[in-house]
Amino acid sequence: MSDAGADLVILGGGSGGYAAAFRAAELGQSVILIEKDKLGGTCLHRGCIPTKALLHAAEVADTAREGEQFGVKTTLEGVDIAGVHKYKDGVISRLYKGLQGLAKAHKVTVVEGTGTFVGGTTVEVDGTRYTGKNLVLATGSYSKTLPGLELGGRIIASDEALTLDWIPEKVVVLGGGVIGVEFASVWASFGVDVTIVEALPRLVPAEDEFASKQLERAFRRRKINFKTGVKFTGAKQDENGVTVSLESGETLEADLLLVAVGRGPNTAGHGYEEAGVKMERGFVITDERLRTNLPNVYAVGDIVPGLQLAHRGFAQGIFVAEEIAGLEPKAIDEAGIPRVTYSHPEVASVGLSEAAAKERYGSDVQTFTYDLAGNGKSQILKTSGAIKVIKAPDGPVVGLHLVGDRVGELIGEAQLIYNWEAFPEDVAPLIHAHPTQTEALGEAHLALAGKPLHVHS
């Protein structure tokens, strides 16, 4: 058995792992990055990037179908799914090559293979042991299913949905969270009859209730069917399709069942428990400095309880590299991490929901909701939706929730407002370019500051 060493060994080359590697290298550390598949992980190859490429293709399809409402005579001849995949894969390929180039430029040693944590700060890959002064665990997540529901055939998860080489006529989507509503949005734009089944009382249940209601209203207009507050009880498939059974006694017939019930931590089989890592429900437990219970062993990304977002893992990777280097970075506020669901319309948020804000600050929290009907650029785009701002009593803005096409692009300003603990009076004087959707943020803060303009008092 041969051995190799470095200042930092990282197990997993997704958003968290490669961010830690690049930042540590910038800080003068030697880095070994171990990845069993490809740099970029799920986000680049089977998650964020390919799904958003499909969503943009879906937007183009909608635009072609609806051109006449803008005075442009267009028709949608159809969707060439092979062409869609070529476009999607081209985006992934360019980003992957760029990431490989960055790894080389940072002089990060990339080891391809499945790594096993064998204790201390050592990972073994195909008989070679790699030991660091510090070790970062960053093995990401996988698509979950429900007990007794086996994936295969016409019952698929997001990985298979991303490479599907045909467009079904009818699909049932099990799960009304981020993944479920994004795929439902894509398929509806491609002309598919979609029904979402969600056990909880509303779609995107992790979001503020206001956002759920806005999205549900928009989905009804788009004729996307959804059943909330109803539990799935089983599915049977044959060569012709799949039959989905619900607790209500209803059955749904479809060509495919997409299982979108969330993602689980990819920790099994990597030696974590055997090495003594403290774990709960498969997740690696860390403190706010992302330290595990073992000395010099850290964890980042989807294996750490909390939001399973690529940019969270990315930020945690940078944090850990700086923590190891002794820079004492500020601990990451989970509520300050922006969240975006890229459906049509989009849902974006940062900070606390109204319910969470009332739980923390009491019932005197202030809220203001600005309807995008009053925003010129939103009218030009023909998008409906609204922006809700939540303010603590005699305090700063503690939550921002946005629904509408392209509002994901507004979350940058929203997260600055939250993370810098801005008061409405701090934001109100800022000049927002006209006509832009950012004006909606400005108008909401003007109203909370006591000087509403384009709103009815």
Side-chain angles (χ1 to χ4, degrees), residues 202-243:
R202 52 193 175 89
L203 297 182
V204 288
E207 295 290 344
D208 189 274
E209 189 172 352
F210 142 86
S212 296
K213 289 180 178 178
Q214 291 277 333
L215 183 66
E216 289 172 1
R217 189 178 301 133
F219 271 20
R220 288 189 190 98
R221 284 196 296 267
R222 295 188 62 198
K223 295 182 171 49
I224 297 175
N225 306 305
F226 54 90
K227 298 178 182 295
T228 55
V230 60
K231 292 183 179 179
F232 162 92
T233 56
K236 295 180 180 179
Q237 62 173 311
D238 57 28
E239 65 275 10
N240 298 315
V242 59
T243 302

Side-chain angles (χ1 to χ4, degrees), residues 42 46-47 50-51 54 142-144 151 156-164 179-180 183 187 257-263:
T42 296
R46 298 177 302 281
T51 54
L54 290 184
Y142 66 93
S143 295
K144 290 198 300 185
L151 297 175
I156 64 174
S158 58
D159 284 9
E160 292 76 30
L162 285 169
T163 57
L164 202 65
I179 297 171
F183 274 102
W187 276 321
L257 170 63
L258 172 66
V259 181
V261 293
R263 298 186 65 83

Side-chain angles (χ1 to χ4, degrees), residues 101-297:
L102 286 169
K104 186 175 181 180
H106 282 94
K107 297 186 170 71
V108 170
T109 300
V110 178
V111 175
E112 294 182 5
T114 301
T116 303
F117 180 29
V118 294
T121 53
T122 300
V123 175
E124 183 175 320
V125 183
D126 297 330
T128 299
R129 291 195 168 192
Y130 301 90
T131 301
K133 294 177 183 176
N134 291 279
L135 171 66
V136 175
L137 306 177
T139 43
S141 61
Y142 66 93
S143 295
K144 290 198 300 185
T145 186
L146 297 178
L149 180 59
E150 186 175 347
L151 297 175
R154 292 179 178 270
I155 302 174
I156 64 174
S158 58
D159 284 9
E160 292 76 30
L162 285 169
T163 57
L164 202 65
D165 60 2
W166 57 289
I167 298 176
E169 289 185 15
K170 295 183 72 173
V171 173
V172 172
V173 176
L174 181 57
V178 174
I179 297 171
V181 300
E182 287 189 350
F183 274 102
S185 192
V186 169
W187 276 321
S189 296
F190 285 173
V192 180
D193 181 350
V194 182
T195 300
I196 303 170
V197 176
E198 170 55 55
L200 293 175
R202 52 193 175 89
L203 297 182
V204 288
E207 295 290 344
D208 189 274
E209 189 172 352
F210 142 86
S212 296
K213 289 180 178 178
Q214 291 277 333
L215 183 66
E216 289 172 1
R217 189 178 301 133
F219 271 20
R220 288 189 190 98
R221 284 196 296 267
R222 295 188 62 198
K223 295 182 171 49
I224 297 175
N225 306 305
F226 54 90
K227 298 178 182 295
T228 55
V230 60
K231 292 183 179 179
F232 162 92
T233 56
K236 295 180 180 179
Q237 62 173 311
D238 57 28
E239 65 275 10
N240 298 315
V242 59
T243 302
V244 177
S245 302
L246 306 180
E247 192 175 52
S248 61
E250 186 179 3
T251 58
L252 303 173
E253 304 286 339
D255 299 312
L256 290 173
L257 170 63
L258 172 66
V259 181
V261 293
R263 298 186 65 83
N266 184 18
T267 53
H270 291 293
Y272 293 174
E273 286 189 282
E274 295 83 349
V277 176
K278 183 180 179 182
M279 303 178 72
E280 291 180 7
R281 298 179 296 109
F283 289 96
V284 175
I285 303 304
T286 71
D287 62 13
E288 69 169 7
R289 312 302 293 178
L290 298 174
R291 296 173 294 207
T292 71
N293 61 305
L294 302 181
N296 303 108
V297 179

